[in-house]
Amino acid sequence: MRVVFIGPPGAGKGTQAETVSKEEKIPHISSGNLLREAVETGTETGGKAKYYIEKGLLVPDNLVVDIIKDRILKKDCESGYILDGFPRTLAQAKILDEMLKNLGKKLDVVFYFAVSKENVVLRLSGRRICSSCGANYHIAFVPSLKNGICDKCGGKLNQRSDDKPETILERLRIYHEQTEDLIAYYRDNGILKEISSDGNIEKITKEVNNSINTSLQKKRS
Ligand code: AMP
């Protein structure tokens, strides 16, 4: 099952991807996480990507494509994966299709999570991430028991440098500009499933699961 999750930052696609990953036993591959890891561990790619990430700009295609390619060729990706944050542009989608074609594979379903601007700012500006284990919190919706401390490992909770309101709006603007063509491309390919991400998490999960099951049935028949 090869799935792509598209949605602006704050659409909750990371949360949905974690659920599907557990249920379908396929890895959740977030291009943003892979890039941040590369920056933190100080790889050559990370060094080149740092400037763009901090500004909320798209990292050049060649850097992100290399990172994704290495990841999807790993053994745990044999029965599928969820790509979250990649592809982000039509050019990246075409590179991915070509990459998969060469491997004799193709995508099964692409989810687009649509969400209002107000909800994005509310969700992202309150988001806090554990500096040790990566667990996600929200100061209003999913607070930790002790302010600024991770419940799971006692690590310090930080705000991502690109989760500040002024950067969020810039990330959103770039996101919509770049993804319009991408969404149209998958819609034309007949594999796009649009989900409204303004509602409650459980309802969205149910909708995602139903679509995954339909795609699985189609694949098996
Ligand atoms: P995210 O965690 O998905 O919000 O991504 C954080 C940052 O990583 C983005 O603002 C970009 O700078 C970079 N990034 C993530 N995925 C991509 C991609 N597919 N193409 C280019 N840049 C990306």
Side-chain angles (χ1 to χ4, degrees):
M1 188 76 186
R2 279 169 291 276
V3 184
V4 168
F5 277 15
I6 304 176
K13 61 185 173 6
T15 309
Q16 296 300 332
E18 283 304 321
T19 309
V20 174
S21 167
K22 275 194 203 119
E23 282 174 8
E24 299 299 324
K25 297 183 182 59
I26 49 177
H28 165 207
I29 302 174
S30 151
S31 53
N33 285 350
L34 288 178
L35 286 163
R36 278 185 292 276
E37 260 168 47
V39 172
E40 272 153 33
T41 51
T43 65
E44 197 185 333
T45 307
K48 290 179 186 159
K50 191 168 187 260
Y51 166 85
Y52 301 93
I53 296 174
E54 282 176 355
K55 289 254 173 326
L57 300 171
L58 286 183
V59 168
D61 286 348
N62 62 326
L63 299 180
V64 66
V65 164
D66 281 353
I67 267 188
I68 292 288
K69 193 169 181 188
D70 283 352
R71 183 64 190 88
I72 65 173
L73 289 175
K74 292 208 167 124
K75 204 163 171 47
D76 64 336
C77 288
E78 266 169 19
S79 57
Y81 40 80
I82 303 154
L83 289 177
D84 165 9
F86 179 91
R88 200 92 139 212
T89 63
L90 180 58
Q92 290 180 4
K94 289 185 174 167
I95 296 171
L96 176 65
D97 276 354
E98 195 58 35
M99 212 183 328
L100 291 177
K101 200 170 147 203
N102 291 337
L103 297 167
K105 302 196 154 77
K106 62 183 176 62
L107 292 175
D108 295 298
V109 56
V110 175
F111 287 98
Y112 173 56
F113 296 89
V115 63
S116 68
K117 204 195 250 181
E118 292 72 22
N119 258 334
V120 170
V121 173
L122 198 67
R123 288 175 188 178
L124 289 192
S125 54
R127 182 160 73 168
R128 298 293 180 270
I129 295 160
C130 175
S131 53
S132 308
C133 73
N136 267 272
Y137 296 88
H138 188 283
I139 51 170
F141 309 140
V142 195
S144 57
L145 295 170
K146 261 198 209 158
N147 194 14
I149 305 289
C150 178
D151 294 346
K152 293 182 184 147
C153 74
K156 189 172 172 281
L157 300 186
N158 288 334
Q159 183 176 38
R160 264 171 53 176
S161 60
D162 57 354
D163 274 349
K164 307 260 156 65
E166 57 286 5
T167 318
I168 294 171
L169 291 176
E170 178 62 1
R171 282 164 71 197
L172 261 185
R173 190 190 61 75
I174 295 172
Y175 189 86
H176 288 299
E177 200 178 281
Q178 302 277 352
T179 49
E180 223 169 284
D181 293 352
L182 174 70
I183 292 160
Y185 175 73
Y186 287 129
R187 191 181 288 126
D188 291 348
N189 282 358
I191 56 170
L192 188 78
K193 173 78 193 156
E194 295 189 52
I195 307 256
S196 163
S197 215
D198 281 318
N200 90 16
I201 294 184
E202 288 76 24
K203 193 171 152 265
I204 301 165
T205 304
K206 215 167 161 189
E207 218 180 311
V208 172
N209 278 338
N210 287 343
S211 293
I212 298 246
N213 288 335
T214 311
S215 296
L216 277 173
Q217 275 163 9
K218 250 196 227 161
K219 203 175 154 98
R220 284 177 193 139
S221 62

